[in-house]
Each structure stands twice: as C-alpha cells, then as structure tokens.
Amino acid sequence: MIADLILAIDAGTQSTRALLFDLGGNLIAKKRIPIEPYYSTQAGYAEQNVEVFWKALCDACQGLWKMRGVDKKRIAGVALTTQRSTMVNLDLNGKPLRPAIVWLDQRRTEGLKPIGGMWGAAFRVAGMTETAAYLQAEAEANWISNHEPAVWSNTHKFLLLSGYLTYRLIDCYVDSVGCQVGYIPFDYKKKAWASKSDWKWQAIPMDPGMLPDLIPPAEIMGEIGPSAAKVTGIPVGLPLVAAAADKACEVIGSGSLTPNIGCISYGTTATINTTHKKYIEIIPLIPPYPSAVPDAYALEFQIFRGYWMVSWFKQEFGLHEQGRSAKMGVEPEVLFDELVDQVPPGSQGLILQPYWSPGLKLPGPEAKGAIIGFGDVHTRAHIYRAILEGLAYALREGAERMAKRSHVPITELRVAGGGSQSTAAMQITADVFGLPVSRPHLYETSGLGAAIDAAVGLKLYPDFTTAVREMTHPGDTFQPDEMNHRIYDELYNKVYCHIYERMKPLYYQIRDITGYPPH
C-alpha cells in the first residue's frame, strides 16, 4: 500500500486538532479536542497545566483512528504546528516544573538592569532604549528567574510548546527553527540561537544548554517513539518532519508563497504576513519571523487583540445574538453579519483603532484603543462594523509598511483564521484594501501548511513551489466594491492614519496618571 497521507497535529489556543491530508491538500479526516486556553491565578496571568496540551494531542490522535476510512498504513509522516510563545520549564527528568505560561499572559518584570555596554549605547542613540526595556520586562524567563528562583535553578530545558510536544513525540530535545517566536535569545536573521556577543543574552540571561537543538523546516526531526506511539496511536517509527508555528504554517497553507500575496489571519491575534527571501525589518528592532519555508522569512504586522475583539463584543454587547444562536443552532458570529448589513460603509463616521493591547514599537508600550466619531445615530451595530473596519485599516497600514520596506506591492490577499468564515469581514477587507480577497479552499490552513512541510521533507514533492501549487487552492473570492473603497480610502488616509500620532501624547498622560499600562 502506498503511504500517501500526512498526519498534521495543530495545537492551537482554543483546541488541538489531528488532521489527515492527502497530497492534493484535501482534508481526509479531522478530530478536534477543545481545551481551556488558560486559567488565571491573578489578573493578567495566563497559565495552563502542561499535561493538558499533551493529553489533548493524544485524545485527538486516538479519536482520529476511530473515524471511518482512516488507515494508518497510508500515513507517510507526521508534522506538528503549535501556538506561538507559550513557554514550558522542564526538570532533568523531562517533567514540568510549573504550569506553562501561555502567550496571552500579560505579567511583566519591572526594575531589571538595563542593557549596558556598546549595545546599551547603540539603543540610546537609536531611540530604542524603551523598546529594549519593554522586551526585557515581557520575557517569561526573566519573570521566572526573579519571582520563582527555585524553579529557574532546577530548569533543565526551557522550551516553547512546540519543543515540549516534540520531546514527548520523539523523546529528544529538538525544535523547528520555524517555531522560534518568543522572548528568547534567538537570532532571527541567521535563524539560529544568538551569538555569545548578542545583546539578547544580556536582556534574557540563561544557560544556552537550556535551549533545544534547532532543525530547519522540512527536515526530519526524529521518529515517533514507543511511549508516544502507545498513548497517541501514531505508528512507532513514523518520521516527524519539522514544520513551523501556526501563523507561519497558515501563510503557506493559504498559498502565500511569494511576496506579492499577503496572508491575513483573523485569529485571536490578527496578522498580515508576506513571504520574502530577504531579511527585512518592517519596524526597526522588530524582526521578521522564521517562515515555514527554510530559506525564507515571514514579514509580519500584528494586532495583538485582533479577532479577540469579536469575542469581546459578543461578551459585552451580543447577548441578543447569543440567545438567538442557541435557538437556531448556529454560532453567534453568523448573526453578527446581520448587524454589519444594517450599517453603511464607514459606520457613519464611527472609527475604531484596535490597539486594545500595547505593543513594542508600533503601537508603542503606551498605546490604548480608541473609538472616535460618536453621534446619536450610532448603535451597537455601528460598533461591530467599526471593529471589522478598524482591524482592516490597521492591517492595511501594516501591508503598506511591508510594501514600502520591501519595494514589493501586495496585489492580492488570502484570509485565514476564524474571521475568514465571516462574509462581512471578507467583503470589508476587500473594500478597505481595494484588492481581491480569497478564502483558502479549507479552514485548517495552519495544519495544511504543516502538511506541506512534511510533503517536501518526505520528498513527496520536489520543492515548496510544487507542493503549494498542488496542495492549496483559492476558495471564495471577494472583489472590492469601488464606491465602498473610495469611502474607506478617504477615511483611512485622512482620518485613521492620523489617530495614533495625535492621541499618543494623551496616551502617555493616561499612563502616567493611572499607571496602566505599566512602564
């Protein structure tokens, strides 16, 4: 029997999925295990028992084998993609020392020694001192070493979730280069651990031996071990091929392999990515991330609280739709599209800037969200449409920065993530950008991207160009409405692009008076 299927495991924020793909990019079978994203012991904390992630992976795989038509003998190999920036501390025996710190965690470590020497002087000259200090304060390693020194001193390995699950699958401390997104001493240009002289070791002090060995995407990391095979049901000895973090996998899973095709992800964090062979910093000191393609970079602009804002709206203003959705047996977000249809493009002057969480540089650490232009005509329907428009404005700003820095204009868009299922969000995106916008042919784009890595790594396709061409297909395409685009274009250029700079001094005043966000 020909081994022509790939098992992709996608450990996301809301769930873990075991996905079986064929070489045409068709989803043959899927088992989804919901997980609690995190729990909080105090405000701003986001942690999860590490075993929750492993158990969900095991349950998803075991559920997959029970599905009709699934034949393990046809599986050629396995690929893993996970949420980014979730950190795990393991002891000498490979056991977790504390709960994982999930990427949504907001704790900070204040009062750290500033970066000194030549690097410190360079940051002062470049006006990047506060940005570097923000990175230090955000680093999970610094918080653990300062607040839980016993845990830190007993940490044998400090791993991303991808590295931990890889360890459980193949009993080896390795991770993919494509998964290295977080506050760790990683050289994003060389796609390797930072050199000894790099400032990151000052910012995040740790023993280099605590970090895993790195394997480029599409190379074999190891084989499924006997203990993992027993609890997951994955055949022992199957190769585990290095993939990448979920956002990077979404990019190639949506078909965005060339720099002119932008991939928007309307997930908990909203992002726009393009794939480039050249290292380009869209914002100084903010690097591009490793691509799921080994010789490329993923240029990314992100809105941290992206499609989370839809969940926020649902919780705060969507009680009516939640009640109706329960009776109708549909998701509340489906009914929110009806709200959008009640409001004209531009939301009758209501404009939202979606900086509900501050950033490193753009927006800066002082940033706050803003809604301006309220009048007596405005309802919650206007607020909802303004959320979708504001997210599209912010991502367009990111796209324009990418094009300016790379000298490659974006000519078409692919949209992945939960928001891609909203027809209203897709049309608004097309209208704001003035570009055609396509959904991928299936929803599970991060899993498909991981499967593409495996297909190339297992020599089932000769290269990524062939694999992406054969395994990805545009789905529904939305063309921009020219009249709507003219409205959005004026609002974007004459209003939206000026909000942050004009509000910035007031955000600093708010931070100084209230102490939030901390600095």
Side-chain angles (χ1 to χ4, degrees), residues 38-210:
Y38 63 89
Y39 63 82
S40 299
T41 55
Q42 56 183 286
Y45 283 24
E47 298 183 338
Q48 186 50 272
N49 186 326
V50 180
E51 191 66 20
V52 166
F53 300 113
W54 176 244
K55 185 177 185 304
L57 186 155
C58 295
D59 290 348
C61 290
Q62 292 287 7
L64 193 71
W65 312 136
K66 297 175 184 177
M67 293 187 167
R68 186 176 179 180
V70 172
D71 187 347
K72 294 184 186 181
K73 294 178 182 178
R74 292 181 61 190
I75 300 175
V78 187
L80 169 71
T81 182
T82 73
Q83 58 184 274
R84 307 186 300 191
S85 304
T86 290
M87 305 305 304
V88 178
N89 297 71
L90 299 184
D91 67 14
L92 195 59
N93 298 312
K95 303 297 183 185
L97 286 162
R98 68 176 320 285
I101 298 181
V102 177
W103 66 273
L104 286 161
D105 192 276
Q106 297 179 50
R107 77 188 74 189
R108 293 169 54 82
T109 311
E110 306 298 341
L112 293 170
K113 181 181 178 181
I115 296 168
M118 293 179 62
W119 282 111
F123 289 150
R124 286 193 293 275
V125 170
M128 301 297 286
T129 299
E130 186 175 11
T131 299
Y134 185 90
L135 185 150
Q136 284 182 277
E138 288 287 314
E140 297 87 356
N142 287 339
W143 189 92
I144 296 169
S145 63
N146 278 267
H147 293 86
E148 297 178 354
V151 169
W152 191 246
S153 64
N154 285 303
T155 297
H156 174 60
K157 292 293 179 181
F158 187 58
L159 306 174
L160 289 156
L161 178 61
S162 52
Y164 171 71
L165 294 178
T166 296
Y167 163 68
R168 294 298 300 265
L169 287 168
I170 64 174
D171 198 26
C172 187
Y173 290 120
V174 296
D175 199 3
S176 172
V177 169
C179 293
Q180 305 313 300
V181 179
Y183 297 108
I184 46 179
F186 182 74
D187 186 325
Y188 287 90
K189 186 173 186 179
K190 296 179 179 178
K191 290 186 275 193
W193 296 124
S195 63
K196 291 181 180 179
S197 60
D198 197 296
W199 64 273
K200 297 183 186 74
W201 295 107
Q202 276 194 63
I204 314 168
M206 66 174 69
D207 181 347
M210 296 168 68

Side-chain angles (χ1 to χ4, degrees), residues 22 25 69 110 176 186 189 221 229 267 274 295 299 366 375 380 418-419 427-428 442 454 468 471 479 483 490 502:
D22 68 15
E110 306 298 341
S176 172
F186 182 74
K189 186 173 186 179
M221 307 174 79
T274 52
D295 60 348
L299 273 64
E366 82 297 329
R380 66 192 184 95
Q427 189 60 55
I428 286 172
L442 51 76
V468 169
M471 297 180 72
Q479 297 293 338
M483 185 176 295
E490 284 202 77
R502 295 190 181 187

Side-chain angles (χ1 to χ4, degrees), residues 457-494:
L458 296 168
K459 313 301 182 187
L460 299 173
Y461 284 115
D463 51 48
F464 279 94
T465 300
T466 306
V468 169
R469 183 182 67 237
E470 296 298 322
M471 297 180 72
T472 69
H473 319 284
D476 299 328
T477 298
F478 297 78
Q479 297 293 338
D481 180 291
E482 287 303 320
M483 185 176 295
N484 293 348
H485 176 60
R486 282 197 295 270
I487 294 169
Y488 285 132
D489 204 48
E490 284 202 77
L491 287 171
Y492 172 76
N493 284 300
K494 295 180 178 179

